Every structure is written in C-alpha cells, then in structure tokens.
Amino acid sequence: MAALNVSHHCTSTTASSRLTSSPHLSSTSFSLCSLSTAITLQFPNTTHFSVRNHSLQCFPVPSHIHFTKARGRARASATTMATGVQEVLPPALDSTSDPPSIFDGTTRLYISYVCPYAQRVWITRNCKGLQDKIKLVPIDLQNRPAWYKEKVYPANKVPSLEHNNEVKGESLDLIKYIDSNFEGPSLFPDDPAKTEFSEELLSYTDSFNKAVITSFKADEITEAGSAFDYIETALSKFDDGPFFLGQFSLVDIAYAPFIERFQPFLLEVKKYDITAGRPKLAAWIEEMSKNEAYKQTQRDPKELVEIYKKRFLAQL
C-alpha cells in the first residue's frame, strides 16, 4: 500500500472616491466600512457600493449580511460572502506557457483548479473580495512549466502566493496570511474560546484527511466514520450559527474542499452517506452551498470522483 501524502499543498492533480455601479446586481443595500466603523445604508435595489479605506468600490451585499466592528476590522457574519466578482477563469499554464512578469509588484496566487489545498486559499481570496488584488495563476500540475520551480517556488507545488517580492506556501499558513494582511471582512474569530477551538480544528485537518483516505482503500469505513463523527461533534459546539465556530470562518474554508470531494466519492464508491445520522454536517454542507465565494471555486462532482478513482483505487 502506498504511503499517504497529506500536506497543505498539491504536487499533482491526482473622500476623492471613484463611484461605480452595476445594473446586474439585485441586493438593496451597501456597506460603508472603514477601519473603525461599519454601517449599512439602503439604496435603490440595483446599485451597491462599499467604501473601504476611503475608496468607493462596487460589490453586492445581500440583505442578510451585516458588518460589525471587531478589533478595528470589519467582520462578515453571513453565509454568502460579499465578493461581487464573477471571474472568467484563466487557462492553466503548462510547459509550453511563458512565465508571468514575476516580482513586478503584482500579487499572484498560484493554484491548480483541482487541488483542494489550493482551493482553500482561492476561497479565502474570494471571501475577502480580493479578486482584483490577487491575480489567479493556475498551473497544470500534470505538465507543469519548468519556470515555476526555477523562478517562482522551488518546492514546485501549489498553492503559493507571490506578494511583496516573496513567495510563500502551505495552504493553512496562506489562508491566515491573506486574512491578516489584506483588506476585507475578517475570517478569524476574536473570541478567545473560538480562537482556541479554531486552532484545534485546523490542527485536526491532516488527521481528518488521513482517516478518510485510509477508508478509501479499506474494506471497512470505520476510520472515515469516526472522522465524520468528530466533525459532527465539532459543529455542535457553538449554537450561534451553522458553522464550526458558529459564524463562517477560516475553519470552514479549511475543511470545505475536502468534504466537497469526500462526500460524492464515498457515496459512489462505498455507498456511504456522510450526512446520514449527522444533521449538523448536513446543515453545514447546505449552508456552504450558498456561499458564492466558495461556489466560484467548485468543480463538477463527477470530475472530482473520477480524479479520486484514478488516484486511490488504482493503487489497490
């Protein structure tokens, strides 16, 4: 049996403000957010604006989103994050592709579209509304360009972030880095009890992944069942929302790409429904499905199942 390789990356696919508006948006409010204040105003139902750091920007704010003051930073408390950008995703770069103008001052997030570790950072970027601040650079990991290892990230894996003339890696480190170093709603709790629990849950992600993946290649589903029971219990700790910490946070982002893959794979291959007898997990999956920032990163479940079949079942 091949050794499990679980880490936070992928190596292969296995008041001089500018005012803008959009006629395509349907919410009826916009938020004025600065470092110390956050208010929501009602405007005609086709126009949405946000003031952030004295710059007026346009993005949709669904009516159920509200911003609160939290340690000088606006904090989003909502299922659907205010991203306001529906991207046209660039094609993946391969061995025939020229490199970007590396270290030219552009912040770049190097990902693979099918890598769950890279997806964590991609979701974080979207939830912060940073589509115009952090450029996506998808890499074809099956035919990766030589310049990526030579000029960008010697570890030759994704995700990586090019920022301030440095390149950083490891997905859990990067989601925290983006949350702390870029504008946008805070995705990490400031409640001490939630902060402590968030670190526990983030530390458990590798154990969770290993337990589930082990069950892919075993006759029994026992280890995966125990791992999902842990998730069900964790989702029961706080009652102020359907997420791990009650309100949406980096913890949900850390787990979402893997549960997105595990759920359809286990159902098809093992005939195992991860939500059976786990109402909290079922509710969490339903709420995550409403998150536009996350939905922009999702792949076709059939595609993900086929990738996992090739990666894991071929080793049996």
Side-chain angles (χ1 to χ4, degrees):
M1 181 180 294
L4 294 177
N5 180 17
V6 180
S7 56
H8 304 150
H9 56 262
C10 283
T11 58
S12 70
T13 57
T14 54
S16 58
S17 303
R18 183 170 60 90
L19 185 65
T20 60
S21 66
S22 170
H24 307 295
L25 305 178
S26 59
S27 176
T28 59
S29 65
F30 76 78
S31 289
L32 293 171
C33 302
S34 69
L35 290 179
S36 59
T37 61
I39 58 175
T40 300
L41 301 179
Q42 298 293 321
F43 267 66
N45 63 3
T46 57
T47 309
H48 318 269
F49 310 98
S50 173
V51 176
R52 182 180 293 142
N53 297 336
H54 307 296
S55 175
L56 200 57
Q57 299 175 321
C58 168
F59 65 84
V61 183
S63 59
H64 64 279
I65 286 185
H66 53 91
F67 288 86
T68 58
K69 180 180 177 182
R71 291 187 178 178
R73 301 172 64 196
R75 180 168 183 80
S77 175
T79 301
T80 307
M81 304 301 293
T83 60
V85 178
Q86 189 65 45
E87 291 183 282
V88 176
L89 299 178
L93 303 182
D94 61 19
S95 61
T96 67
S97 305
D98 294 328
S101 300
I102 301 164
F103 301 137
D104 63 352
T106 302
T107 301
R108 297 181 176 89
L109 174 60
Y110 296 87
I111 65 166
S112 161
Y113 286 132
V114 295
C115 170
Y117 297 100
Q119 189 180 358
R120 284 171 167 172
V121 192
W122 184 8
I123 297 167
T124 304
R125 162 195 181 260
N126 289 0
C127 285
K128 300 281 285 185
L130 297 170
Q131 289 90 334
D132 292 333
K133 302 289 186 180
I134 301 178
K135 182 178 180 179
L136 277 187
V137 183
I139 300 293
D140 182 349
L141 295 180
Q142 296 297 328
N143 184 25
R144 73 192 73 192
W147 52 258
Y148 181 65
K149 179 179 180 180
E150 295 168 357
K151 298 181 179 181
V152 179
Y153 193 41
N156 202 27
K157 44 191 188 184
V158 295
S160 68
L161 181 72
E162 176 189 341
H163 183 231
N164 289 340
N165 293 320
E166 294 182 342
V167 177
K168 305 175 184 296
E170 298 299 323
S171 63
L172 292 182
D173 293 337
L174 289 179
I175 64 176
K176 292 180 180 179
Y177 180 84
I178 288 176
D179 189 44
S180 299
N181 290 276
F182 290 85
E183 63 185 35
S186 174
L187 299 171
F188 204 71
D190 54 8
D191 178 277
K194 291 187 176 184
T195 299
E196 181 180 359
F197 193 51
S198 68
E199 294 295 350
E200 176 184 328
L201 290 171
L202 292 175
S203 297
Y204 179 68
T205 55
D206 280 355
S207 298
F208 172 72
N209 294 338
K210 289 177 181 178
V212 177
I213 291 171
T214 297
S215 293
F216 286 175
K217 299 179 284 186
D219 293 333
E220 297 181 353
I221 207 73
T222 305
E223 288 197 54
S226 297
F228 285 111
D229 286 343
Y230 179 99
I231 297 299
E232 180 72 10
T233 300
L235 286 166
S236 304
K237 186 173 180 66
F238 296 104
D239 59 5
D240 57 334
F243 302 104
F244 282 101
L245 305 181
Q247 302 303 306
F248 183 82
S249 73
L250 293 179
V251 177
D252 303 290
I253 291 172
Y255 280 92
F258 296 94
I259 294 177
E260 175 186 338
R261 288 156 174 78
F262 294 161
Q263 183 182 25
F265 182 83
L266 286 170
L267 190 60
E268 179 170 330
V269 175
K270 297 289 187 178
K271 311 304 178 187
Y272 181 73
D273 181 0
I274 66 172
T275 64
R278 300 186 182 100
K280 295 289 187 181
L281 177 57
W284 180 86
I285 291 172
E286 181 179 356
E287 290 300 316
M288 286 299 300
S289 72
K290 301 173 185 177
N291 187 310
E292 292 296 330
Y294 167 50
K295 285 168 66 175
Q296 292 175 24
T297 72
Q298 288 183 289
R299 308 293 293 187
D300 184 340
K302 293 181 179 179
E303 177 189 5
L304 298 178
V305 168
E306 289 305 312
I307 290 172
Y308 268 32
K309 283 182 178 179
K310 291 178 181 178
R311 179 178 177 185
F312 295 109
L313 299 189
Q315 299 174 10
L316 295 178

